[in-house]
Amino acid sequence: MSMTSTQVRDGFTSKFGVLAATLGSAVGLGNIWKFPYLTGENGGASFLLVYLIATLLVGLPVMITEMMLGRRGKADAVSTLIKLAPKGQAWWLVALMGVGAAFLIMSFYSEVAAWVFAYIFKGIGGTILSTDPAVTGAAFNALIKDPLQSLLWQWLVLALMGGILLMGVSRGIEAVTKKLMPLLFILLLVIGARSLTLPGAREGLIFLFSPDFSKLSAGVVLTAMGLAFFKLSIGMGCMMTYGSYFRDDQHIPATACRVMCADLFVSMLAGIAIFPAVFAFGFEPSAGPALLFITIPAVFASIPFGQVFMVLFFVLSAIAATGAMLSILEVPVSVLSERFGLSRPRATLINLLLLALIGSSCALSNSTLAGVTVAGKSFFDLFDFISSNVLMPLGGILLCLFVGWVWGFERMKEALTNGGTLHLRILKPLFFVVRYVSPLLILIVMLKGLGLF
Ligand code: PFF
């Protein structure tokens, strides 16, 4: 049954709920899994600096733009762009591209989340606890090279997300993230404090905060920008969808700023929780994605009460992954239910089944499909690369162009000032950035980073 005009559209019910859900979307495995290893691999603080610039000049304006469009459209991402664009202009294709990106991201994201969930139980059982990375490495390999385990954990994670999404926006997404986000911050502070008080922690901080500019290249800059898009869940209709659930009195620029700052804070804390501990025990910092599943268990095995801290660490990661996955899935679920008039349960189920199918290509990319590559990348790496480095930046450019050149300043002013009730001094500079700076910057970084010019 589709929503009739007499029914009130589901949405977030409080300001804290908005913050919990949007922050829940931004904070995720990106902070705990991607951010530390990409920073480690690409030169520590110099990478951090580029990432910060990308977040400010591109991330924040695009996030504000998306939330604003969403709240104006008050519908799923495709319907929003159909409603807001002039007749005959197919801007809704940008939202459709976002739906595609959501599928690609969920395919590999749900697999990493699957490992995280599996590690909570393996951590409790003690089977992954060893101070020898060779042993923890073998344990990780045993998991990812087992097709059945990989698939089952992924489906379990998908089913769990489906269960929450079925309950709807306010009683599902908002209620769950409101409980989980405070817990996430407490856990992060506890683990950060433990890591910082280890002898030898200083070296990890130096690594994280001292720059190696020799590692900077066009490819690294693209990676940093891609990370900014991925981190802030922008360029693919996710923040637009969440924006459509905002109330009319929500202060959008302030919300976006808070989410951006809190997200940066979590990334820093995650870096601070991970690197000092890694260095304190003489492990290799740039161990790629395996940092989380091979090095971290070995680090925890080396400290007193390590098993407890390790289980807490993976619970924290599972919480972070949950808020993010709910928001990724909400993009196609809302399109199917609102645009195509399917009931929410049916829309959820269809998306999950599709994902179980497409996602299995990532779940099996270390086992049954090992060795199958496209352009030299496994499905897992390919989906990650295409979504972060191509689709999300491209979506970002197009949304900026839409607002900057089609929608125009007056409409943006009306939307961001909540119909004139808020006084905003940043409007003119923001519009300038959205119209010229962000799209141009994204375009140059993308083309250079992909080696196209
Ligand atoms: N921002 C999430 C993270 O950093 O883990 C990932 C993500 C969520 C990407 C939602 C895209 C999205 F729409």
Side-chain angles (χ1 to χ4, degrees):
M1 188 193 72
S2 71
M3 205 180 63
T4 64
S5 53
T6 48
Q7 272 176 308
V8 179
R9 189 169 179 261
D10 199 0
F12 300 135
T13 57
S14 67
K15 296 209 164 133
F16 177 59
V18 166
L19 202 64
T22 39
L23 191 57
S25 167
V27 169
L29 293 172
N31 306 64
I32 296 161
W33 162 68
K34 261 191 174 214
F35 175 84
Y37 94 78
L38 286 177
T39 309
E41 262 177 8
N42 294 307
S46 46
F47 179 81
L48 207 63
L49 190 71
V50 180
Y51 170 67
L52 277 178
I53 296 173
T55 299
L56 279 177
L57 282 185
V58 174
L60 189 60
V62 175
M63 182 155 51
I64 295 175
T65 300
E66 263 197 51
M67 288 174 168
M68 171 186 79
L69 292 175
R71 192 179 55 184
R72 256 299 123 110
K74 293 230 180 319
D76 63 278
V78 172
S79 307
T80 288
L81 287 178
I82 291 178
K83 267 191 201 175
L84 301 184
K87 289 256 157 321
Q89 296 188 13
W91 289 96
W92 56 271
L93 284 172
V94 182
L96 204 63
M97 189 171 81
V99 170
F103 271 98
L104 291 187
I105 295 175
M106 261 316 271
S107 297
F108 70 84
Y109 205 88
S110 58
E111 188 52 24
V112 183
W115 301 336
V116 166
F117 277 82
Y119 262 50
I120 296 177
F121 294 93
K122 290 182 192 285
I124 294 172
T127 50
I128 46 170
L129 215 62
S130 163
T131 52
D132 182 359
V135 176
T136 55
F140 182 53
N141 275 326
L143 171 64
I144 66 173
K145 288 194 189 321
D146 180 345
L148 198 64
Q149 270 207 68
S150 303
L151 278 180
L152 285 181
W153 279 110
Q154 187 186 37
W155 291 347
L156 201 78
V157 165
L158 289 176
L160 191 64
M161 297 308 122
I164 300 175
L165 284 172
L166 276 183
M167 293 189 279
V169 178
S170 54
R171 289 197 307 138
I173 298 174
E174 183 179 357
V176 169
T177 49
K178 257 161 89 173
K179 291 204 182 71
L180 292 185
M181 289 317 281
L183 192 62
L184 180 137
F185 276 88
I186 294 172
L187 286 176
L188 202 56
L189 287 174
V190 171
I191 295 170
R194 171 70 271 204
S195 178
L196 274 180
T197 47
L198 290 171
R202 241 194 69 175
E203 224 186 304
L205 291 181
I206 293 176
F207 171 78
L208 193 59
F209 293 112
S210 69
D212 177 1
F213 286 104
S214 68
K215 288 228 169 120
L216 279 189
S217 66
V220 168
V221 174
L222 176 63
T223 306
M225 193 181 74
L227 180 64
F229 271 88
F230 188 82
K231 280 294 334 99
L232 298 176
S233 320
I234 50 175
M236 48 161 286
C238 179
M239 284 297 167
M240 204 190 298
T241 307
Y242 269 21
S244 76
Y245 302 134
F246 285 12
R247 296 188 320 188
D248 287 333
D249 61 348
Q250 187 78 26
H251 193 314
I252 287 181
T255 308
C257 278
R258 274 187 209 127
V259 170
M260 181 200 76
C261 291
D263 179 65
L264 274 175
F265 178 70
V266 174
S267 288
M268 292 298 168
L269 263 184
I272 286 172
I274 291 172
F275 287 117
V278 167
F279 276 89
F281 296 101
F283 292 119
E284 179 57 35
S286 53
L291 182 66
L292 198 59
F293 300 99
I294 297 177
T295 314
I296 294 289
V299 167
F300 279 119
S302 315
I303 62 179
F305 302 108
Q307 189 175 3
V308 176
F309 280 106
M310 184 173 74
V311 172
L312 289 182
F313 179 81
F314 283 107
V315 169
L316 158 95
S317 308
I319 291 176
T322 298
M325 285 190 287
L326 292 177
S327 71
I328 305 172
L329 277 167
E330 185 60 21
V331 178
V333 167
S334 62
V335 170
L336 262 196
S337 63
E338 290 190 65
R339 184 81 219 146
F340 294 97
L342 265 62
S343 68
R344 195 165 167 100
R346 198 172 275 188
T348 310
L349 193 71
I350 290 178
N351 275 304
L352 288 182
L353 287 177
L354 263 175
L355 258 171
L357 205 71
I358 303 174
S360 61
S361 63
C362 290
L364 300 177
S365 73
N366 292 298
S367 50
T368 319
L369 298 177
V372 180
T373 56
V374 180
K377 290 186 188 318
S378 65
F379 285 113
F380 188 106
D381 292 335
L382 186 75
F383 289 1
D384 184 3
F385 183 83
I386 295 182
S387 50
S388 282
N389 295 351
V390 182
L391 296 182
M392 295 171 102
L394 196 60
I397 296 182
L398 292 169
L399 289 174
C400 284
L401 292 181
F402 175 65
V403 169
W405 298 89
V406 179
W407 227 47
F409 180 73
E410 284 310 316
R411 283 204 187 92
M412 174 167 143
K413 183 173 164 193
E414 163 81 14
L416 284 184
T417 57
N418 299 351
T421 55
L422 289 178
H423 179 66
L424 293 176
R425 264 178 303 168
I426 49 132
L427 276 179
K428 284 223 165 91
L430 178 66
F431 186 69
F432 181 80
V433 170
V434 169
R435 190 169 150 108
Y436 301 103
V437 183
S438 306
L440 247 162
L441 258 181
I442 306 172
L443 188 71
I444 295 172
V445 172
M446 241 182 100
L447 293 182
K448 266 249 178 249
L450 295 174
L452 296 177
F453 107 95

